[in-house]
Amino acid sequence: MTNGISSQLPPPPSSLNKTAKATPSKNAAGKQKIKPPKPSPGHPTLDYIVRNAFESGFSDIHLGVGEVPRMRDRGEMMLTDYPKTDRNTFFSWLFEILTDEEIIRFRKELEFDGATQYKFARARINIFDTLKGPALVMRLIPLKILTMEQLNLPFVFQDISDTHKGLVLVTGPTGSGKSTTMAAMVDYINTEHAKHIITIEDPIEFVHQSKRSLIKQREVGINTHQFDKALKSSLREDPDIILIGEMRDRETVNTALKAAQTGHLVMGTLHTNSAIKTIERILTLYNADEQDAMRVAIAESLVAVISQGLCRTTDGKRAAYHDILVNTETVKDYITGSKYDEMHQLMMDGEYDGMVTTNQSLFMLYEDGRITEETALECSPTPNEIAMMLRGRF
């Protein structure tokens, strides 16, 4: 293993089962059952790889036929010393985490999205076919849900979570910690309020246990066949809070806004990298003649937009930085009037309401000594502006 990982992981076990192809057999019910292959000699089991990756603090595992396994360490892709993966070994790994039916479905559709549970962690799974052969990415998710205090989230997150109705959006690119932040907010509500919380996720990542609140989690493909149907059905299930894994399309946005306008708190995610762009992104789902009405609907329903990213800290860990828009009366007017430039200035001046821009958040991390000037410039959406802040000219 290179780039310093070899000292963190024990070597793969030397004596492993010999290669065996998957062969069909029959179970007691007479149905055909596939006999799983075993890893080729010198290759570890998937359980071994996952366990050691988790213990070393890696966030993602990348495996593929014809490739050496790699890990993501605090945002950086790292090469390992495991042998190059062959097809037989790869499918032996799939049999560790998938049922026969799921493997058949992957072979047919060439895509699979799901999750699996270990004693020490959950793992989100995506399997896909490539030019070299099938590949697998696993995102490791700790079983313990961190609190807002443990995540060092701004206090405004509690105010947002205390809201009784409206739309809360947590946004950011893949791997920006959206699920972790959302889980902390749900855990806070679960601890502090007696609510009925329904989640619709694809797949379920963090598993919650009911505390003061009653939590019902539904996974698309397991607990419901269709995302849209589950979302519409949730309105008839006496919820106080509805968590939507992802705001996928205009139909999902329409239902979410309807729920928010009828007395529910709706929480959802989007893949956008700023609070203001999130509003613009939602509006692009609609025709030009529909956008004025949608601006009014968003202005009336929105509680806050939290956009976040992760950056590497000086102690080798990672910290979240935020772009937070809170829907004050002035913000409502700006949304309705499409005054996005003015909205950005309002966020810069809106510390009292809990608002902050990405650059301000990065600058605070820099002032606290948690990130370097280079990291702040690298993560900033407008490097010129934060460069002025770093030099005391802003």
Side-chain angles (χ1 to χ4, degrees):
M1 198 173 297
T2 58
N3 296 325
I5 292 189
S6 56
S7 60
Q8 300 177 44
L9 288 181
S14 55
S15 58
L16 290 163
N17 295 320
K18 294 182 179 180
T19 303
K21 294 183 179 179
T23 56
S25 61
K26 290 189 177 180
N27 58 21
K31 292 184 179 180
Q32 191 177 74
K33 182 174 177 60
I34 303 172
K35 183 179 179 181
K38 298 177 181 178
S40 299
H43 290 260
T45 63
L46 182 60
D47 180 84
Y48 182 91
I49 293 174
V50 173
R51 184 178 299 275
N52 285 293
F54 179 79
E55 290 174 355
S56 299
F58 302 140
S59 61
D60 299 85
I61 300 169
H62 292 255
L63 309 170
V65 173
E67 299 283 358
V68 173
R70 297 171 190 255
M71 311 287 173
R72 190 172 291 279
D73 180 23
R74 297 172 180 85
E76 295 185 11
M77 190 74 85
M78 313 293 271
L79 194 63
T80 72
D81 279 338
Y82 294 120
K84 187 179 292 186
T85 304
D86 58 43
R87 189 175 185 85
N88 202 69
T89 298
F90 183 87
F91 274 95
S92 78
W93 292 340
L94 295 193
F95 275 92
E96 290 187 45
I97 55 176
L98 303 184
T99 64
D100 293 356
E101 292 75 15
E102 288 170 336
I103 288 177
I104 291 170
R105 191 164 88 228
F106 165 66
R107 283 174 164 161
K108 180 180 178 182
E109 299 177 2
L110 303 179
E111 309 276 358
F112 181 85
D113 207 25
T116 191
Q117 179 88 32
Y118 293 88
K119 290 182 179 179
F120 50 89
R122 279 181 66 78
R124 191 174 71 200
I125 303 166
N126 186 269
I127 310 167
F128 53 102
D129 201 28
T130 75
L131 186 63
K132 286 188 175 182
L136 164 67
V137 178
M138 301 180 75
R139 167 68 54 82
L140 301 182
I141 303 163
L143 296 180
K144 178 178 172 59
I145 297 172
L146 297 179
T147 65
M148 294 186 189
E149 291 80 8
Q150 290 170 324
L151 293 172
N152 294 313
L153 298 180
F155 191 78
V156 70
F157 279 69
Q158 290 189 16
D159 294 337
I160 293 169
S161 301
D162 287 333
T163 307
H164 296 294
K165 63 180 180 179
L167 179 64
V168 175
L169 298 174
V170 179
T171 78
T174 300
S176 59
K178 297 187 297 295
S179 298
T180 302
T181 294
M182 191 95 82
M185 295 174 76
V186 170
D187 185 66
Y188 170 81
I189 297 169
N190 188 19
T191 303
E192 299 295 330
H193 301 285
K195 303 284 188 179
H196 182 203
I197 305 170
I198 295 176
T199 78
I200 305 165
E201 303 170 77
D202 185 16
I204 290 172
E205 296 186 345
F206 290 92
V207 177
H208 296 268
Q209 303 297 328
S210 296
K211 298 177 185 176
R212 284 196 67 192
S213 291
L214 173 64
I215 297 188
K216 297 291 177 60
Q217 294 182 262
R218 307 189 70 193
E219 181 169 321
V220 179
I222 296 178
N223 310 119
T224 179
H225 294 300
Q226 295 181 341
F227 183 91
D228 295 336
K229 190 173 181 180
L231 178 56
K232 290 177 181 177
S233 176
S234 69
L235 298 177
R236 300 187 293 273
E237 293 159 4
D238 187 33
D240 297 295
I241 298 164
I242 303 170
L243 186 147
I244 304 169
E246 186 178 343
M247 306 280 279
R248 301 161 180 251
D249 47 42
R250 58 181 288 161
E251 188 171 0
T252 302
V253 172
N254 287 340
T255 307
L257 287 172
K258 177 184 175 182
Q261 291 170 334
T262 53
H264 306 89
L265 180 64
V266 181
M267 304 174 71
T269 66
L270 275 170
H271 292 287
T272 53
N273 57 11
S274 83
I276 294 172
K277 284 182 181 178
T278 299
I279 297 172
E280 295 179 279
R281 168 74 178 90
I282 292 174
L283 291 172
T284 61
L285 299 173
Y286 297 88
N287 299 327
D289 58 344
E290 300 173 305
Q291 290 189 5
D292 286 344
M294 289 311 302
R295 285 190 191 93
V296 173
I298 293 169
E300 290 177 350
S301 305
L302 190 68
V303 175
V305 182
I306 301 164
S307 182
Q308 73 173 51
L310 291 176
C311 60
R312 198 177 185 99
T313 55
T314 51
D315 60 0
K317 298 179 181 179
R318 287 200 291 178
Y321 54 91
H322 300 97
D323 194 59
I324 302 173
L325 174 68
V326 178
N327 193 20
T328 63
E329 291 301 318
T330 306
V331 170
K332 288 181 182 178
D333 292 338
Y334 285 179
I335 292 174
T336 305
S338 301
K339 299 177 181 178
Y340 300 124
D341 291 339
E342 292 93 332
M343 203 182 301
H344 178 74
Q345 186 60 48
L346 194 66
M347 289 174 64
M348 294 184 68
D349 300 333
E351 182 181 357
Y352 176 80
D353 296 304
M355 290 191 267
V356 69
T357 66
T358 298
N359 279 346
Q360 288 174 327
S361 184
L362 288 167
F363 184 69
M364 285 187 282
L365 288 172
Y366 170 75
E367 280 195 315
D368 291 341
R370 299 190 64 197
I371 65 172
T372 64
E373 181 176 331
E374 290 74 21
T375 299
L377 289 166
E378 180 184 335
C379 296
S380 171
T382 50
N384 289 341
E385 181 183 281
I386 199 167
M388 294 175 66
M389 296 170 72
L390 292 168
R391 289 160 179 74
R393 300 175 187 167
F394 201 93

